[in-house]
């Protein structure tokens, strides 16, 4: 894709400059974030979600971050609500992506690419107004965008289904470094890191997060990581297991559910990968969602 020269929105919150570019608007699609009546509240919700995150993290006050929403999807039959992430350098080792580097150092790692990218499927039924509660049939756009932005912050795995790196041999995310079997054995270790397990470990439904802060949020028990069988590309290893943990970063956000803030387990994970933030948030009690989604 090519980035336009000037994003449609450029605001400032908490000393952090940020920009959001909507390719729906750039291309005048009349849909998604450019919808004639719903586009404005959708953009306001995307803005509010990012402001919440930047107000929660203690990052470089001179930092900048840029977000790109690619052309929206309009597919009512797809189980996907949205997707999001960040770019990483192809360097062996445990690393965080462009968003982390830009926010924590104040230096843009690459002016050519956005720090966070995301796509939303507006073919589903959404609560597009962040000031309102979703109905029982609506997915909450604010909650889903906080979720996707957080993938962009670095809560994302770079592992393929066989444990190899998806971007370069030996290159994994800091988040990957905390993924372990239930007995506490890390699945990615060494210098440079390598996969120490088997493919069956990655679909075992029995993986945990060993982050020192995350393990304090559930009475000292390590939170479970989503590792379904079969492997789910883009979702496996990058979420909490919704059968054991509740929080913004669970795999499924059901209709009618709103996450106005991070849960303590989400904040702890962000702190584990290198952000400075308070660990105050709702506890990780679980209510099982009954829907497909992310």
């Amino acid at each position: 894709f090519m980035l336009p020269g000037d994003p449609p929105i450029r605001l400032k919150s908490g000393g952090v400059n940020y920009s959001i570019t909507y390719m729906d608007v750039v291309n005048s699609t009349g849909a998604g974030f450019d919808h004639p009546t719903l586009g404005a509240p959708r953009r306001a919700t995307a803005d509010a979600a990012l402001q919440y995150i930047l107000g929660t993290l203690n990052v470089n006050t001179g930092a900048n971050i840029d977000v790109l929403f690619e052309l929206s999807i309009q597919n009512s039959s797809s189980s996907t609500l949205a997707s999001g992430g960040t770019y990483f350098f192809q360097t062996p080792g445990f690393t965080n992506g462009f968003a982390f580097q830009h926010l924590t150092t104040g230096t843009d790692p690459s002016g050519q690419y956005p720090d966070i990218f995301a796509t939303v499927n507006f073919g589903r039924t959404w609560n597009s107004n962040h000031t309102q509660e979703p109905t029982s049939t609506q997915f909450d756009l604010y909650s889903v965008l906080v979720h996707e932005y957080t993938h962009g912050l670095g809560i994302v795995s770079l592992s393929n289904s066989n444990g190899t790196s998806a971007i370069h041999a030996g290159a994994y995310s800091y988040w990957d470094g905390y993924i372990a079997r239930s007995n506490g054995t890390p699945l990615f270790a060494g210098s440079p890191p390598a996969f120490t397990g088997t493919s069956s470990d990655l679909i075992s439904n029995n993986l945990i997060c060993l982050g020192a802060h995350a393990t304090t949020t559930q009475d000292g028990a390590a939170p479970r990581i989503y590792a379904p069988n079969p492997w789910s590309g883009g979702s496996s290893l990058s979420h909490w297991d919704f059968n054991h943990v509740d929080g913004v970063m669970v795999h499924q956000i059901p209709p009618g559910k709103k996450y106005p803030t991070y849960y303590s387990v989400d904040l702890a994970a962000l702190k584990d990968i290198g952000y400075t933030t308070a660990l105050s948030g709702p506890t990780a009690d679980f209510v099982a969602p009954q829907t497909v989604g992310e």
Side-chain angles (χ1 to χ4, degrees):
F1 53 82
M2 295 184 65
L3 301 180
D6 295 306
I9 297 179
R10 182 174 292 277
L11 299 170
K12 186 174 182 179
S13 174
V16 179
N17 294 295
Y18 66 89
S19 63
I20 306 177
T21 300
Y22 303 93
M23 295 307 289
D24 290 341
V25 175
V26 171
N27 288 276
S28 301
T29 63
F33 287 107
D34 193 48
H35 190 279
T37 57
L38 296 176
R42 288 169 175 174
R43 295 191 300 272
T45 296
D47 186 72
L50 188 57
Q51 285 197 51
Y52 163 70
I53 290 174
L54 295 178
T56 300
L57 302 177
N58 295 319
V59 296
N60 189 300
T61 56
N64 293 267
I65 187 169
D66 47 277
V67 176
L68 174 74
F69 280 97
E70 300 181 87
L71 289 172
S72 299
I73 300 169
Q74 310 290 326
N75 188 346
S76 60
S77 63
S78 172
S79 63
T80 299
L81 296 178
S83 60
T86 187
Y87 292 96
F88 290 78
F89 286 114
Q90 296 177 320
T91 304
F94 291 118
T95 184
N96 279 314
F98 286 9
F100 179 90
Q101 294 185 49
H102 205 173
L103 283 170
T104 58
T105 69
T107 300
D108 191 349
S110 174
Q112 182 181 2
Y113 299 105
D115 299 314
I116 295 175
F117 54 84
T119 307
V120 180
N121 178 10
F122 282 113
R124 307 302 297 272
T125 301
W126 290 95
N127 168 39
S128 295
N129 191 328
H130 67 280
T131 66
Q132 299 176 355
E133 295 294 317
T135 68
S136 61
T137 61
Q138 291 177 322
F139 294 97
D140 188 62
L141 183 62
Y142 175 89
S143 302
V144 170
L145 292 185
V146 171
H147 177 113
E148 300 304 343
Y149 286 148
T150 307
H151 282 314
L153 293 177
I155 306 297
V156 63
S157 174
L158 298 182
S159 174
N160 288 317
S161 61
N162 63 358
T164 59
S165 170
I167 63 170
H168 190 278
Y172 294 96
S173 66
Y174 271 116
W175 170 258
D176 284 320
Y178 293 118
I179 300 174
R181 300 182 187 90
S182 59
N183 65 6
T185 305
L187 286 183
F188 305 92
S191 182
F195 180 51
T196 65
T198 66
S199 296
S200 60
D201 288 321
L202 302 180
I203 54 173
S204 65
N205 287 298
N206 198 26
L207 298 181
I208 60 174
C209 174
L210 290 181
H213 297 289
T215 56
T216 68
T217 61
Q218 300 187 115
D219 297 323
R224 294 278 286 273
I225 288 176
Y226 185 59
N229 186 4
W231 172 270
S232 179
S235 291
S236 288
L237 308 189
S238 295
H239 299 90
W240 303 126
D241 184 336
F242 54 75
N243 292 303
H244 299 273
V245 182
D246 195 12
V248 171
M249 296 313 293
V250 292
H251 165 59
Q252 297 176 337
I253 297 179
K257 175 71 171 179
K258 187 181 184 73
Y259 289 95
T261 64
Y262 283 127
Y263 276 48
S264 57
V265 69
D266 303 312
L267 291 168
L270 287 167
K271 194 161 188 174
D272 281 325
I273 67 169
Y275 291 98
T276 302
T277 182
L279 296 182
S280 176
T283 56
D285 296 330
F286 173 73
V287 178
Q290 301 296 317
T291 181
V292 294
E294 192 203 346

